[in-house]
Amino acid sequence: MNAQDSTSTRPYLIRAIYEWCTDNGFTPYLAVRVDKTVQVPREYVNDGEIVLNVSYDATSGLQMGNEFIEFKARFGGKPREIMVPVERVLAIYARESGQGMSFPVVDGAVLDAQGDAESVDDSVEANASDRVVQLVPTDTAAAPLAAVPRAEDDDGDKPRPPSGGGRPSLKLVK
């Protein structure tokens, strides 16, 4: 079996970061890009994404397979069945520190180290799906990846870059 015939590393890396979070007493969060294949409560989806607490205390029957992540959780007090295809996971990280791993392939584009999308052809995209970006906190008080909203300038139409405030930076791992 060669590298192109092997299975994706993404589900293994997700499980590894999940285990690291739980072993260290952190709360593992999944950032997920939502489309029609993702079964989550749509009322909690924001800008096509949802952040899910996948800790032992927040879920029931958690199964992290190679194709899907499935569990039951309560949203607004109602039990819901959640099913996320592994390829829709954008990141897994610890809520408390922001440490974790993000995955750069989103809807046919590869994200560069600055988080900007670059379009790619199908052959590159197939090989890029197993590249990962590691979140490296800039200090110990790093904010979670998906919890910091983008700010706008006074004129309201240009987003300004984050102020630094301890957010994780991205580092390409090959």
Side-chain angles (χ1 to χ4, degrees):
M1 181 183 297
N2 63 34
Q4 291 198 352
D5 294 335
S6 64
T7 59
S8 171
T9 58
R10 186 179 295 216
Y12 299 93
L13 294 170
I14 291 169
R15 288 190 294 263
I17 298 298
Y18 177 86
E19 185 176 339
W20 174 83
C21 286
T22 57
D23 285 354
N24 287 283
F26 296 138
T27 308
Y29 274 20
L30 283 180
V32 177
R33 183 76 174 162
V34 177
D35 69 358
K36 64 183 179 195
T37 65
V38 178
Q39 182 180 324
V40 295
R42 299 290 191 218
E43 62 269 24
Y44 294 94
V45 174
N46 189 8
D47 293 329
E49 297 178 6
I50 189 168
V51 177
L52 301 167
N53 177 346
V54 290
S55 68
Y56 178 77
D57 293 337
T59 63
S60 172
L62 177 65
Q63 295 180 16
M64 298 181 112
N66 288 347
E67 299 295 323
F68 294 97
I69 297 171
E70 301 175 74
F71 58 93
K72 294 177 186 154
R74 292 188 171 272
F75 289 82
K78 292 182 182 176
R80 305 292 274 274
E81 299 266 343
I82 307 301
M83 186 174 68
V84 176
V86 169
E87 73 264 5
R88 303 307 296 172
V89 174
L90 295 172
I92 181 167
Y93 60 95
R95 180 192 73 191
E96 295 80 1
S97 68
Q99 290 180 293
M101 188 170 291
S102 67
F103 303 92
V105 177
V106 179
D107 295 331
V110 175
L111 299 182
D112 64 16
Q114 289 77 36
D116 299 322
E118 302 174 344
S119 52
V120 293
D121 64 61
D122 292 337
S123 63
V124 173
E125 184 179 340
N127 294 330
S129 66
D130 288 323
R131 288 188 296 175
V132 296
V133 175
Q134 180 180 6
L135 292 172
V136 181
T138 55
D139 68 11
T140 56
L145 176 70
V148 181
R150 286 193 80 159
E152 292 185 358
D153 288 335
D154 294 334
D155 60 2
D157 60 351
K158 293 183 195 173
R160 64 178 183 239
S163 61
R167 287 192 57 188
S169 60
L170 298 175
K171 175 183 174 185
L172 186 62
V173 178
K174 291 186 179 183

